[in-house]
Amino acid sequence: MNILKGTIEKLTISGSLTLIGIKVKTIDMSAIVIDTPKTAPYLKIGNTITVVFKETEVIIGKGNTDEISLRNKFKGTIEILESKELLSKLTINTNVGKISSIITTNAVKQLKLELGTAVTAMVKTNEILISE
């Protein structure tokens, strides 16, 4: 699991959903939850929260990733690369700390990933979990 600490900066409520704007160090992130400040009192601007996402939900890109719909992006370099026959685990050193990703070994080969490669780790807004 990837676990980060952040601060709630913005809340956009629609029915029973809340889109949360989060600041993790210098990076803006977003998460969507099936809760509102009425059902989850910790959803308050300025509150510190824990941001959690699975390694298998981290998408890896190289080069320009500006024109894709993913909003949670962490630029960094590959610090650890452990490849097995089917899957590979990458540890990326980013501005928010170390982010782990598990992708197919075929993807590692196709992207020509190796230690020191500059990449962008990305996570969909709906794959982010938060807690107090």
Side-chain angles (χ1 to χ4, degrees):
M1 283 291 186
N2 291 291
I3 301 171
L4 306 170
K5 287 289 186 188
T7 304
I8 296 174
E9 290 205 321
K10 184 177 180 183
L11 299 171
T12 306
I13 302 156
S14 177
S16 62
L17 297 174
T18 302
L19 179 64
I20 307 164
I22 307 161
K23 181 72 85 176
V24 178
K25 295 190 179 178
T26 61
I27 303 296
D28 292 321
M29 294 184 65
S30 63
I32 194 162
V33 296
I34 304 172
D35 260 322
T36 67
K38 288 181 183 178
T39 60
Y42 72 92
L43 292 177
K44 190 181 299 182
I45 293 174
N47 276 4
T48 299
I49 57 172
T50 301
V51 178
V52 180
F53 49 96
K54 296 178 187 177
E55 294 97 334
T56 54
E57 300 298 341
V58 179
I59 298 160
I60 301 299
K62 276 177 60 176
N64 185 357
T65 59
D66 291 342
E67 294 188 24
I68 60 173
S69 65
L70 292 167
R71 299 288 59 145
N72 297 312
K73 299 178 186 178
F74 313 96
K75 291 185 183 294
T77 56
I78 298 173
E79 189 172 274
I80 299 171
L81 176 57
E82 301 167 341
S83 290
K84 303 281 184 177
E85 187 175 346
L86 297 177
L87 296 174
S88 292
K89 182 174 181 179
L90 292 74
T91 302
I92 300 134
N93 192 11
T94 74
N95 289 350
V96 296
K98 295 185 189 326
I99 302 284
S100 294
S101 174
I102 296 175
I103 61 175
T104 66
T105 298
N106 281 341
V108 169
K109 291 174 184 173
Q110 288 173 347
L111 292 170
K112 298 179 178 135
L113 300 178
E114 56 188 36
L115 294 179
T117 301
V119 295
T120 303
M122 299 168 277
V123 184
K124 291 173 64 174
T125 297
N126 61 306
E127 297 298 343
I128 303 282
L129 306 172
I130 63 164
S131 66
E132 299 181 71

Short mmCIF file of all heavy atoms in Angstrom, two decimals, residues 8-21 31-47 49 130 132:
data_model
loop_
_atom_site.label_atom_id
_atom_site.label_comp_id
_atom_site.label_asym_id
_atom_site.label_seq_id
_atom_site.Cartn_x
_atom_site.Cartn_y
_atom_site.Cartn_z
N ILE A 8 -6.81 18.56 3.56
CA ILE A 8 -7.98 18.85 2.72
C ILE A 8 -7.97 20.34 2.38
O ILE A 8 -7.92 21.19 3.27
CB ILE A 8 -9.29 18.48 3.44
CG1 ILE A 8 -9.34 16.97 3.69
CG2 ILE A 8 -10.51 18.94 2.63
CD1 ILE A 8 -10.53 16.51 4.52
N GLU A 9 -8.02 20.65 1.09
CA GLU A 9 -8.02 22.04 0.63
C GLU A 9 -9.34 22.47 0.02
O GLU A 9 -9.64 23.66 -0.02
CB GLU A 9 -6.90 22.25 -0.39
CG GLU A 9 -5.52 22.19 0.22
CD GLU A 9 -4.52 22.97 -0.59
OE1 GLU A 9 -4.60 22.94 -1.83
OE2 GLU A 9 -3.67 23.62 0.04
N LYS A 10 -10.12 21.50 -0.50
CA LYS A 10 -11.36 21.85 -1.18
C LYS A 10 -12.33 20.68 -1.10
O LYS A 10 -11.92 19.52 -1.16
CB LYS A 10 -11.07 22.19 -2.64
CG LYS A 10 -12.26 22.67 -3.42
CD LYS A 10 -11.87 23.06 -4.85
CE LYS A 10 -13.10 23.53 -5.61
NZ LYS A 10 -12.81 23.85 -6.99
N LEU A 11 -13.61 20.99 -0.96
CA LEU A 11 -14.66 19.98 -0.96
C LEU A 11 -15.74 20.40 -1.94
O LEU A 11 -16.24 21.53 -1.87
CB LEU A 11 -15.28 19.83 0.43
CG LEU A 11 -14.35 19.39 1.56
CD1 LEU A 11 -15.04 19.51 2.91
CD2 LEU A 11 -13.90 17.96 1.33
N THR A 12 -16.09 19.52 -2.86
CA THR A 12 -17.18 19.75 -3.80
C THR A 12 -18.18 18.63 -3.60
O THR A 12 -17.86 17.46 -3.83
CB THR A 12 -16.68 19.77 -5.26
OG1 THR A 12 -15.61 20.72 -5.37
CG2 THR A 12 -17.79 20.13 -6.22
N ILE A 13 -19.38 19.00 -3.14
CA ILE A 13 -20.39 18.00 -2.76
C ILE A 13 -21.49 17.95 -3.82
O ILE A 13 -21.98 18.99 -4.28
CB ILE A 13 -20.98 18.35 -1.38
CG1 ILE A 13 -19.84 18.40 -0.36
CG2 ILE A 13 -22.05 17.35 -0.97
CD1 ILE A 13 -20.14 19.24 0.85
N SER A 14 -21.87 16.73 -4.18
CA SER A 14 -22.98 16.51 -5.11
C SER A 14 -23.73 15.28 -4.63
O SER A 14 -23.24 14.15 -4.75
CB SER A 14 -22.46 16.31 -6.53
OG SER A 14 -23.54 16.04 -7.41
N GLY A 15 -24.91 15.48 -4.07
CA GLY A 15 -25.67 14.37 -3.51
C GLY A 15 -24.91 13.73 -2.39
O GLY A 15 -24.53 14.39 -1.42
N SER A 16 -24.65 12.42 -2.50
CA SER A 16 -23.92 11.71 -1.45
C SER A 16 -22.43 11.56 -1.76
O SER A 16 -21.71 10.85 -1.06
CB SER A 16 -24.54 10.33 -1.23
OG SER A 16 -24.42 9.56 -2.42
N LEU A 17 -21.97 12.23 -2.81
CA LEU A 17 -20.55 12.16 -3.20
C LEU A 17 -19.83 13.45 -2.84
O LEU A 17 -20.40 14.54 -2.91
CB LEU A 17 -20.42 11.94 -4.71
CG LEU A 17 -20.97 10.64 -5.28
CD1 LEU A 17 -20.88 10.66 -6.79
CD2 LEU A 17 -20.24 9.45 -4.72
N THR A 18 -18.55 13.31 -2.50
CA THR A 18 -17.71 14.48 -2.26
C THR A 18 -16.40 14.30 -3.02
O THR A 18 -15.72 13.27 -2.88
CB THR A 18 -17.40 14.65 -0.76
OG1 THR A 18 -18.62 14.78 -0.04
CG2 THR A 18 -16.55 15.91 -0.52
N LEU A 19 -16.06 15.30 -3.83
CA LEU A 19 -14.76 15.38 -4.49
C LEU A 19 -13.87 16.18 -3.56
O LEU A 19 -14.19 17.32 -3.21
CB LEU A 19 -14.87 16.05 -5.85
CG LEU A 19 -13.58 16.20 -6.63
CD1 LEU A 19 -12.99 14.84 -7.00
CD2 LEU A 19 -13.80 17.04 -7.87
N ILE A 20 -12.76 15.58 -3.15
CA ILE A 20 -11.88 16.19 -2.16
C ILE A 20 -10.60 16.65 -2.84
O ILE A 20 -9.91 15.85 -3.49
CB ILE A 20 -11.53 15.18 -1.04
CG1 ILE A 20 -12.81 14.60 -0.44
CG2 ILE A 20 -10.68 15.84 0.03
CD1 ILE A 20 -12.57 13.35 0.36
N GLY A 21 -10.28 17.92 -2.70
CA GLY A 21 -8.99 18.45 -3.14
C GLY A 21 -8.01 18.32 -1.99
O GLY A 21 -8.30 18.80 -0.89
N ALA A 31 -9.58 13.03 -4.63
CA ALA A 31 -10.20 11.74 -4.31
C ALA A 31 -11.70 11.97 -4.30
O ALA A 31 -12.18 13.07 -3.99
CB ALA A 31 -9.73 11.24 -2.94
N ILE A 32 -12.45 10.94 -4.65
CA ILE A 32 -13.90 11.03 -4.59
C ILE A 32 -14.39 9.94 -3.63
O ILE A 32 -13.91 8.81 -3.70
CB ILE A 32 -14.55 10.93 -5.98
CG1 ILE A 32 -15.99 11.37 -5.92
CG2 ILE A 32 -14.36 9.57 -6.60
CD1 ILE A 32 -16.59 11.72 -7.27
N VAL A 33 -15.28 10.32 -2.73
CA VAL A 33 -15.78 9.38 -1.73
C VAL A 33 -17.30 9.41 -1.68
O VAL A 33 -17.92 10.41 -2.05
CB VAL A 33 -15.21 9.67 -0.33
CG1 VAL A 33 -13.69 9.48 -0.30
CG2 VAL A 33 -15.56 11.07 0.15
N ILE A 34 -17.87 8.30 -1.23
CA ILE A 34 -19.32 8.23 -1.03
C ILE A 34 -19.58 8.63 0.41
O ILE A 34 -19.84 7.80 1.27
CB ILE A 34 -19.86 6.81 -1.34
CG1 ILE A 34 -19.47 6.41 -2.75
CG2 ILE A 34 -21.37 6.76 -1.16
CD1 ILE A 34 -19.78 4.97 -3.10
N ASP A 35 -19.42 9.90 0.68
CA ASP A 35 -19.60 10.51 1.99
C ASP A 35 -19.73 12.00 1.79
O ASP A 35 -19.36 12.53 0.73
CB ASP A 35 -18.41 10.24 2.91
CG ASP A 35 -18.65 9.10 3.89
OD1 ASP A 35 -19.79 8.99 4.40
OD2 ASP A 35 -17.71 8.33 4.14
N THR A 36 -20.20 12.68 2.81
CA THR A 36 -20.28 14.14 2.81
C THR A 36 -19.83 14.61 4.19
O THR A 36 -19.71 13.79 5.11
CB THR A 36 -21.72 14.63 2.56
OG1 THR A 36 -22.54 14.27 3.67
CG2 THR A 36 -22.29 14.08 1.26
N PRO A 37 -19.59 15.90 4.37
CA PRO A 37 -19.25 16.38 5.71
C PRO A 37 -20.32 16.04 6.76
O PRO A 37 -20.01 15.91 7.94
CB PRO A 37 -19.11 17.89 5.51
CG PRO A 37 -18.66 18.01 4.09
CD PRO A 37 -19.43 16.94 3.36
N LYS A 38 -21.57 15.85 6.34
CA LYS A 38 -22.62 15.47 7.29
C LYS A 38 -22.46 14.03 7.76
O LYS A 38 -22.71 13.72 8.92
CB LYS A 38 -24.00 15.65 6.65
CG LYS A 38 -24.41 17.09 6.47
CD LYS A 38 -25.79 17.19 5.87
CE LYS A 38 -26.15 18.66 5.64
NZ LYS A 38 -27.46 18.81 5.02
N THR A 39 -22.05 13.13 6.85
CA THR A 39 -21.90 11.72 7.22
C THR A 39 -20.49 11.38 7.68
O THR A 39 -20.29 10.35 8.32
CB THR A 39 -22.28 10.81 6.04
OG1 THR A 39 -21.42 11.10 4.92
CG2 THR A 39 -23.73 11.00 5.63
N ALA A 40 -19.53 12.21 7.36
CA ALA A 40 -18.13 12.00 7.75
C ALA A 40 -17.57 13.35 8.22
O ALA A 40 -17.01 14.10 7.42
CB ALA A 40 -17.32 11.44 6.59
N PRO A 41 -17.72 13.67 9.50
CA PRO A 41 -17.32 14.99 10.02
C PRO A 41 -15.86 15.37 9.79
O PRO A 41 -15.51 16.55 9.81
CB PRO A 41 -17.64 14.90 11.51
CG PRO A 41 -18.64 13.80 11.63
CD PRO A 41 -18.34 12.85 10.52
N TYR A 42 -14.98 14.38 9.57
CA TYR A 42 -13.57 14.72 9.32
C TYR A 42 -13.36 15.39 7.97
O TYR A 42 -12.29 15.94 7.70
CB TYR A 42 -12.67 13.48 9.45
CG TYR A 42 -12.82 12.48 8.33
CD1 TYR A 42 -12.00 12.56 7.22
CD2 TYR A 42 -13.77 11.47 8.37
CE1 TYR A 42 -12.12 11.65 6.17
CE2 TYR A 42 -13.89 10.56 7.34
CZ TYR A 42 -13.07 10.66 6.24
OH TYR A 42 -13.19 9.76 5.21
N LEU A 43 -14.38 15.35 7.10
CA LEU A 43 -14.29 16.03 5.81
C LEU A 43 -14.48 17.53 6.03
O LEU A 43 -15.57 18.07 5.88
CB LEU A 43 -15.33 15.49 4.83
CG LEU A 43 -15.13 14.06 4.35
CD1 LEU A 43 -16.28 13.64 3.44
CD2 LEU A 43 -13.80 13.90 3.65
N LYS A 44 -13.38 18.17 6.41
CA LYS A 44 -13.41 19.59 6.72
C LYS A 44 -12.13 20.23 6.18
O LYS A 44 -11.03 19.67 6.36
CB LYS A 44 -13.49 19.78 8.24
CG LYS A 44 -13.76 21.19 8.70
CD LYS A 44 -13.79 21.29 10.22
CE LYS A 44 -14.91 20.42 10.78
NZ LYS A 44 -15.02 20.53 12.24
N ILE A 45 -12.26 21.35 5.51
CA ILE A 45 -11.09 22.04 4.96
C ILE A 45 -10.09 22.32 6.08
O ILE A 45 -10.46 22.78 7.16
CB ILE A 45 -11.51 23.33 4.22
CG1 ILE A 45 -12.31 22.94 2.97
CG2 ILE A 45 -10.30 24.18 3.86
CD1 ILE A 45 -12.92 24.08 2.21
N GLY A 46 -8.83 22.00 5.80
CA GLY A 46 -7.77 22.20 6.77
C GLY A 46 -7.41 20.95 7.56
O GLY A 46 -6.34 20.89 8.17
N ASN A 47 -8.28 19.95 7.56
CA ASN A 47 -8.00 18.71 8.30
C ASN A 47 -6.91 17.90 7.62
O ASN A 47 -6.84 17.84 6.39
CB ASN A 47 -9.25 17.85 8.43
CG ASN A 47 -10.12 18.26 9.61
OD1 ASN A 47 -9.84 19.23 10.30
ND2 ASN A 47 -11.19 17.52 9.83
N ILE A 49 -5.42 14.35 6.62
CA ILE A 49 -5.97 13.03 6.34
C ILE A 49 -4.86 12.10 5.84
O ILE A 49 -3.79 12.55 5.44
CB ILE A 49 -7.10 13.09 5.29
CG1 ILE A 49 -6.62 13.73 3.99
CG2 ILE A 49 -8.34 13.77 5.84
CD1 ILE A 49 -7.61 13.64 2.85
N ILE A 130 -9.31 7.49 1.59
CA ILE A 130 -8.85 8.43 2.61
C ILE A 130 -9.39 8.01 3.97
O ILE A 130 -10.40 7.33 4.07
CB ILE A 130 -9.27 9.88 2.28
CG1 ILE A 130 -10.78 10.02 2.26
CG2 ILE A 130 -8.66 10.36 0.98
CD1 ILE A 130 -11.23 11.45 2.33
N GLU A 132 -9.17 9.42 8.43
CA GLU A 132 -8.78 10.49 9.36
C GLU A 132 -7.34 10.32 9.78
O GLU A 132 -6.83 9.23 9.89
CB GLU A 132 -9.66 10.45 10.61
CG GLU A 132 -11.11 10.67 10.32
CD GLU A 132 -11.95 10.65 11.57
OE1 GLU A 132 -11.85 11.62 12.35
OE2 GLU A 132 -12.70 9.70 11.75
#
